[in-house]
Amino acid sequence: MPLGLPSTPVRAELVEALASSESPSTGSGRTGKGTSARQGLSVRTAAEAITRAAKRLNDLRENWLNPPEWTQRVPEVIPLGMDASPYPDRILPKNGF
């Protein structure tokens, strides 16, 4: 794995998609169009893989910063005149911590 990054299913999927689309080319590989620089890999496929990787990274970060066994999420108070709170849930320590 390049750069010593850990192997994850999402990363493996993206690497596989990129590897399967590689083709020998001369020049920069840019087509001048709004398409992927590599043939065979759609922009949507790459964007979906990046989205899944970003979500996984954010979930890992949230669990690192606020371990579920130590914290609890409490819905924020809904302001008057609104149907839902525009604020994120409060993160509070569990009793005993």
Side-chain angles (χ1 to χ4, degrees), residues 7-61:
S7 177
T8 64
V10 174
R11 184 176 187 285
E13 179 183 334
L14 183 58
V15 169
E16 181 180 316
L18 288 171
S20 67
S21 67
E22 286 182 14
S23 61
S25 64
T26 58
S28 67
R30 295 180 186 225
T31 61
K33 300 178 184 174
T35 61
S36 174
R38 300 195 184 262
Q39 295 176 344
L41 178 64
S42 72
V43 173
R44 180 182 272 311
T45 303
E48 288 172 352
I50 291 168
T51 300
R52 285 190 298 276
K55 174 155 181 18
R56 171 97 171 113
L57 182 61
N58 186 58
D59 291 344
L60 290 171
R61 178 185 171 275

